[in-house]
Amino acid sequence: MVIKKTNKEALTAAELKEIKKHLLELKEDAAARLKDKKNMDMPEAEVGDPIDDASKSLDKEILFELSGNAHSTIEQIEAALRKIDKGIYGICEYCRQPIPKKRIKALPFARYCVNCQHSTERHRE
């Protein structure tokens, strides 16, 4: 006799619908921030002292980094949306176990469960 375990971490259709809505909102927000950052790109000053130049250079580096983060976030959100469409959302990409709902609520585009995330971060270091 085989006993089938019920998975407390399995997401219901209603939960998936809510998560998809939230992901779309996050994507829209990230895209808006990215657009704002592009609009903030500072014009080059014709004249300035070395301190002004250094300050502008630092500002540009910060804007570039923020833009990179926004692009990365959008890519992760789009990957999560594709997983929902394919029916594989909420499964750890490494161990193939369900990602706990608590983690999904905190980071809806999480690719790994907490244990596997820690493992991948340790390997990067």
Side-chain angles (χ1 to χ4, degrees), residues 37-38 40-44 51-67:
K37 284 172 188 54
K38 286 181 181 178
M40 287 176 55
D41 199 11
M42 291 159 269
E44 291 291 326
I51 294 173
D52 288 338
D53 293 341
S55 177
K56 288 176 186 167
S57 177
L58 181 61
D59 289 344
K60 283 187 177 187
E61 285 180 43
I62 291 169
L63 285 173
F64 181 74
E65 182 68 28
L66 291 172
S67 295

Side-chain angles (χ1 to χ4, degrees), residues 5-109:
K5 293 181 182 178
T6 58
N7 187 351
K8 295 186 301 188
E9 294 300 332
L11 296 163
T12 66
E15 288 172 323
L16 280 172
K17 184 178 179 181
E18 189 61 34
I19 290 167
K20 187 172 185 174
K21 178 182 171 191
H22 183 58
L23 284 166
L24 289 169
E25 289 169 355
L26 289 173
K27 181 181 173 184
E28 190 176 298
D29 183 53
R33 282 184 309 199
L34 187 59
K35 185 179 177 184
D36 288 344
K37 284 172 188 54
K38 286 181 181 178
N39 291 338
M40 287 176 55
D41 199 11
M42 291 159 269
E44 291 291 326
E46 292 178 20
V47 181
D49 62 24
I51 294 173
D52 288 338
D53 293 341
S55 177
K56 288 176 186 167
S57 177
L58 181 61
D59 289 344
K60 283 187 177 187
E61 285 180 43
I62 291 169
L63 285 173
F64 181 74
E65 182 68 28
L66 291 172
S67 295
N69 289 340
H71 279 293
S72 176
T73 300
I74 290 169
E75 289 171 5
Q76 291 176 45
I77 291 168
E78 288 174 343
L81 291 167
R82 284 190 300 273
K83 288 180 183 182
I84 289 173
D85 292 341
K86 290 180 179 180
I88 57 172
Y89 177 80
I91 303 297
C92 176
E93 290 181 11
Y94 185 75
C95 70
R96 302 290 183 217
Q97 296 298 310
I99 298 172
K101 288 182 183 181
K102 239 180 163 177
R103 178 159 171 79
I104 288 174
K105 287 183 180 181
L107 188 66
F109 46 87

